[in-house]
Amino acid sequence: MASEEELFANIDALLEEEPQLPPPAERARLREAAGITQARLAQALKSTVQTVKNYENGRSEPKSPRLEAYQRLLKGWAAKYPAPGTPAVPTPASAVAPQMQAPETFTGPAAPEEHESAAPVQAPAAPAAPKRPARTAARPATSSRRPAAKKAAAPAVDPRFPHGPLAVLDGDGSAYNANGLVLDCPATTIVELVEWTLRESGLGAPKLHRHGKDADPLIVLTASAAARLGLPERLEDRRGLRLPEDHPVIKQVLKAKWQLTQRGFGPWARVYRKAQGRERQCVQLAILPWDALDSRSWPGVAQMEPADVARVLGVYAQRVITPRGGTAVNGLELMTALRPPTRPVRDEATGNWVSGLNPGSLGTEPMDPAPPEGQPEHPAVFHSGWRGGFLHEEAYQWVRDVDTLTGEECQLPYAVGLDLNTAFLAAAARLTVGLSEPVHFVGPAFNPKIPGSWLVDLSGIELDPRLPSPFTPTGERPTGPAWYQTHTVAYAQELGYNVAPLEAYLRKETGAYLDPWHDRLKTAYVDTLADLGVTRDLTDTEFLAAMERHKDVDPVMAAVLAAIKGTVKGGIGKLFENPQGKNYREGEPWPAMMRPTWRPDIRAAVISKARVNMHRKLLNMSRMTGLFPLAVLSDCVVYPSPGPSPLNFLPYAASGKPQPGGFRLGPTPGLAKLEGVQEMAWAVDLMEKGLNPARHIKGGDAVLDEGE
């Protein structure tokens, strides 16, 4: 295939603009309007006439770098030859309806794909003219701290959503959007608010994948806005977290023919009507006085000024996803948004577009786990009478036996804690997971490339007692045969031991399902740290100094960073959500397990790889420095140190560069940062009491969560 530079050079001979891809019929109209033949276009694109025909009848779509070149050409033609009745401006949208158009959303079955571009199939149509113009306030949408219209918060403009993905509504009718503008919202009821949002606000966000869906607009209500709309100051139902069905607001919504999801009207309420054709009618509400933005995932955000709340959520929406709930929910939603379950495929018999599996996705139907991958409550496990044990791939919670401490170690003055940046995210990179049903095998040969669960006896493996066992979350040596995820067994093989599985549940269809999720969140994490002054080009000394003050640089961006970390941790956790509620009975289905994204095997794969990565670094550190850890808690490890800094014990080459294989400082996922420093005597005292120093190394009231 020709290089991108060569293709662009050819296209530059025809025009000088950068476009988006219109519908197939519009592509043909633009080419004909320009007087260019299909053969001439094929020559410029270094393609064939048949391929150009396929582009123009919707049978195929160009791939990168040809996609970008074709986009560039069509944008320039659209500027010169607008559709009849369309102003002659360079907009990517087309007013001409395609002759044959694939539906945007599907619910049917599915089959396997390459990693697809997030570019939309066609450019969106321009929004309908509002009934009355939105007011742009002369006052800036900011608090006194800093401007809201910061470069980092400015998303790319989509002509359908000129005012960004969301707005924060205050009690005076001012709607602060993510772009720093203030819109005038006259609504005094929830129904009026929903209709204003859909018809006049210009809010929303384009889909993240060509086969996905546009993000619904989000309206965040402050306490005064909630009161203005007739909502109570707090929810009386603290368990169900929803308004009672006889509340006047609920009656208003239903009377106006709007609907609520099964979760009712709670902190994150969705008000919708069934889609009309391709047009969705749905608004997401987040109600701040009802703790929609909890302090663990969104520290301090609920107490910010409306403009700053809009900036926090706007940056998060731009870099991650428009919020639809807590960060755990967003983490799961992001997976689906980047790997939609279905895509349009053409029925060769009828020529119609039908629903088909989007390759690489998890499909539309939930999948029963293999017996050892589930839990006793799961119906498929409960009713099978399974007694063969369960997979127990969890993060480390290990404290070294004090009897293994040497006098030299105890005489070191400091205990220094290192924390790995988003360790679960680093483990998700290039992670192959199963996409099909588990298949049972007896006595299989181990294959480290096949994801699944293996029954194998690793109890005979002898390792240094000053290190945790890599095979159990407690770090204790296994006592007999047990179920392990592929990465755990592969690590035993990597250490030089023969593994002979007794049984296995394996999946034949595999793929890197989490790759786009990892890539987007990694970029979001690194970019947000950079906004806080922590960049990749810093020396280790500069990095430690920047991390010490990064939360004080900008509270808004610090809150975004915390939310990104919560999205990683919560998204992985949601893959294995347990039954909840005191009325639940063992053996009955629960809502979470009915999702296609209820996949305990994928969660186990991530955690297994993260724990193995941690042990590999611990082992390499012992070989390079002779140092052994005092404790490990998920992605935090505590080392005895001659000084109060990681620089006092981390391995460096003579050139001053970090030694590969051990812990390294840096801002990217998988690299380390300083978690805390305490006196060595403090750490030994906790160890003697059976407590984990890694949980408390940060000091104060901080208690480290079990993984990010």
Side-chain angles (χ1 to χ4, degrees):
M1 179 181 288
S3 68
E4 183 172 310
E5 290 77 13
E6 183 178 358
L7 289 168
F8 274 25
N10 290 334
I11 295 307
D12 283 341
L14 301 176
L15 53 92
E16 295 180 354
E17 286 276 7
E18 169 115 40
Q20 291 192 354
L21 206 62
E26 177 67 357
R27 303 169 201 173
R29 186 195 73 79
L30 289 171
R31 178 184 53 76
E32 292 170 356
I36 301 297
T37 65
Q38 289 179 331
R40 174 71 181 90
L41 178 55
Q43 182 182 15
L45 290 174
K46 295 293 185 181
S47 184
T48 66
V49 174
Q50 185 58 51
T51 298
V52 172
K53 289 181 179 179
N54 290 341
Y55 294 164
E56 294 183 355
N57 61 28
R59 288 184 181 274
S60 67
E61 297 292 335
K63 302 293 184 182
S64 183
R66 190 167 285 128
L67 171 63
E68 291 79 10
Y70 193 33
Q71 286 176 328
R72 191 177 181 88
L73 174 62
L74 293 175
K75 173 67 177 293
W77 281 342
K80 296 178 181 179
Y81 314 109
T86 303
V89 295
T91 60
S94 165
V96 177
Q99 297 173 352
M100 177 78 69
Q101 185 167 319
E104 188 171 72
T105 59
F106 297 91
T107 57
E113 154 190 55
E114 76 266 10
H115 180 52
E116 292 214 41
S117 166
V121 176
Q122 66 179 60
K131 292 183 178 179
R132 61 192 198 80
R135 169 177 62 86
T136 302
R139 55 193 170 93
T142 66
S143 71
S144 59
R145 282 198 293 271
R146 56 193 303 116
K150 185 181 177 183
K151 180 180 180 181
V157 176
D158 185 296
R160 297 168 301 160
F161 312 120
H163 296 140
L166 57 91
V168 179
L169 182 63
D170 209 358
D172 62 357
S174 297
Y176 299 79
N177 75 4
N179 298 335
L181 302 178
V182 184
L183 309 177
D184 179 21
C185 176
T188 57
T189 68
I190 291 294
V191 171
E192 291 176 356
L193 174 62
V194 169
E195 293 177 348
W196 172 83
T197 302
L198 292 175
R199 296 175 183 174
E200 301 184 38
S201 70
L203 297 174
K207 54 195 173 187
L208 299 180
H209 187 283
R210 63 186 304 175
H211 300 313
K213 299 180 293 186
D214 293 332
D216 298 315
L218 168 64
I219 300 293
V220 182
L221 304 181
T222 65
S224 57
R228 179 186 183 188
L229 298 171
L231 297 173
E233 182 178 351
R234 64 189 299 272
L235 287 174
E236 297 299 329
D237 181 4
R238 303 306 298 169
R239 179 178 292 275
L241 291 177
R242 63 174 68 189
L243 285 179
E245 294 183 2
D246 60 352
H247 192 278
V249 168
I250 303 293
K251 293 180 178 179
Q252 291 172 6
V253 170
L254 299 180
K255 184 178 180 181
K257 306 300 182 183
W258 290 96
Q259 298 179 6
L260 298 169
T261 63
Q262 292 183 352
R263 298 189 64 179
F265 202 109
W268 289 90
R270 295 180 68 78
V271 184
Y272 72 97
R273 285 178 182 153
K274 290 185 177 180
Q276 296 180 351
R278 294 169 58 86
E279 297 300 321
R280 288 170 57 81
Q281 301 182 85
C282 184
V283 175
Q284 177 77 62
L285 302 176
I287 304 169
L288 293 182
W290 296 358
D291 298 327
L293 301 178
D294 70 274
S295 58
R296 292 172 300 175
S297 299
W298 304 91
V301 178
Q303 289 73 46
M304 291 181 179
E305 294 296 322
D308 283 339
V309 176
R311 184 172 159 232
V312 171
L313 298 181
V315 175
Y316 181 87
Q318 176 198 0
R319 297 181 177 179
V320 182
I321 193 172
T322 302
R324 290 187 55 177
T327 51
V329 171
N330 296 335
L332 211 59
E333 291 289 337
L334 182 62
M335 293 180 196
T336 303
L338 294 170
R339 292 279 199 191
T342 60
R343 66 171 180 173
V345 295
R346 200 170 221 165
D347 187 331
E348 295 299 332
T350 64
N352 295 328
W353 290 100
V354 296
S355 172
L357 176 70
N358 186 28
S361 76
L362 300 182
T364 60
E365 298 298 325
M367 182 183 298
D368 285 341
E373 294 169 351
Q375 58 209 102
E377 301 93 339
H378 193 284
V381 178
F382 180 81
H383 296 297
S384 70
W386 173 259
R387 296 293 183 271
F390 294 93
L391 198 66
H392 190 50
E393 297 286 9
E394 299 294 341
Y396 268 133
Q397 295 193 54
W398 171 80
V399 179
R400 183 172 156 191
D401 188 339
V402 291
D403 292 337
T404 65
L405 292 175
T406 66
E408 291 181 355
E409 287 177 315
C410 292
Q411 290 175 6
L412 292 173
Y414 296 102
V416 177
L418 291 176
D419 180 63
L420 297 184
N421 302 320
T422 56
F424 291 167
L425 184 61
R430 298 179 297 281
L431 177 68
T432 301
V433 301
L435 301 177
S436 57
E437 298 277 353
V439 180
H440 184 229
F441 295 87
V442 177
F446 177 67
N447 187 334
K449 295 183 179 180
I450 301 179
S453 301
W454 308 78
L455 180 63
V456 60
D457 189 351
L458 302 178
S459 62
I461 297 179
E462 294 274 359
L463 294 173
D464 194 310
R466 293 171 293 181
L467 291 175
S469 167
F471 311 125
T472 64
T474 62
E476 298 176 354
R477 183 172 173 174
T479 57
W483 290 96
Y484 301 97
Q485 203 276 334
T486 297
H487 284 89
T488 303
V489 184
Y491 188 58
Q493 195 175 63
E494 179 184 323
L495 293 174
Y497 296 92
N498 181 44
V499 293
L502 305 174
E503 296 181 56
Y505 284 90
L506 309 177
R507 289 170 165 81
K508 295 182 178 179
E509 293 181 19
T510 65
Y513 172 72
L514 292 174
D515 261 10
W517 185 82
H518 163 270
D519 294 348
R520 186 167 177 85
L521 284 171
K522 177 183 177 180
T523 300
Y525 181 80
V526 172
D527 287 352
T528 305
L529 266 180
D531 288 336
L532 293 168
V534 186
T535 57
R536 300 191 198 198
D537 58 348
L538 299 177
T539 66
D540 284 359
T541 301
E542 293 169 339
F543 168 75
L544 291 172
M547 286 300 298
E548 188 173 353
R549 60 177 181 268
H550 78 282
K551 291 184 179 180
D552 300 324
V553 172
D554 183 350
V556 165
M557 299 307 294
V560 174
L561 184 68
I564 292 170
K565 293 193 290 186
T567 303
V568 173
K569 175 188 173 183
I572 297 300
K574 277 278 187 181
L575 291 169
F576 192 20
E577 193 172 3
N578 292 317
Q580 301 177 13
K582 63 179 182 179
N583 296 324
Y584 174 76
R585 294 183 180 179
E586 193 175 40
E588 294 181 350
W590 62 94
M593 60 161 279
M594 304 308 293
R595 301 187 312 250
T597 49
W598 191 84
R599 290 294 300 271
D601 58 302
I602 297 180
R603 175 184 179 272
V606 173
I607 295 178
S608 169
K609 186 178 175 184
R611 196 180 66 245
V612 163
N613 287 347
M614 172 64 82
H615 190 275
R616 188 181 289 110
K617 293 179 187 297
L618 297 174
L619 183 59
N620 289 337
M621 282 285 291
S622 69
R623 292 169 175 171
M624 290 187 288
T625 67
L627 290 177
F628 292 85
L630 303 177
V632 183
L633 181 67
S634 187
D635 45 19
C636 179
V637 56
V638 177
Y639 273 101
S641 172
S645 168
L647 301 176
N648 296 122
F649 66 90
L650 289 180
Y652 289 86
S655 63
K657 293 184 178 180
Q659 291 274 28
F663 294 100
R664 296 176 55 189
L665 300 175
T668 56
L671 298 187
K673 59 181 179 290
L674 177 65
E675 180 66 17
V677 182
Q678 300 289 344
E679 293 182 355
M680 182 64 178
W682 168 91
V684 173
D685 183 55
L686 286 183
M687 295 167 67
E688 289 177 340
K689 296 177 182 178
L691 301 177
N692 193 323
R695 187 179 294 276
H696 307 281
I697 190 70
K698 202 168 187 176
D701 296 328
V703 176
L704 189 70
D705 284 336
E706 297 173 10
E708 291 180 351

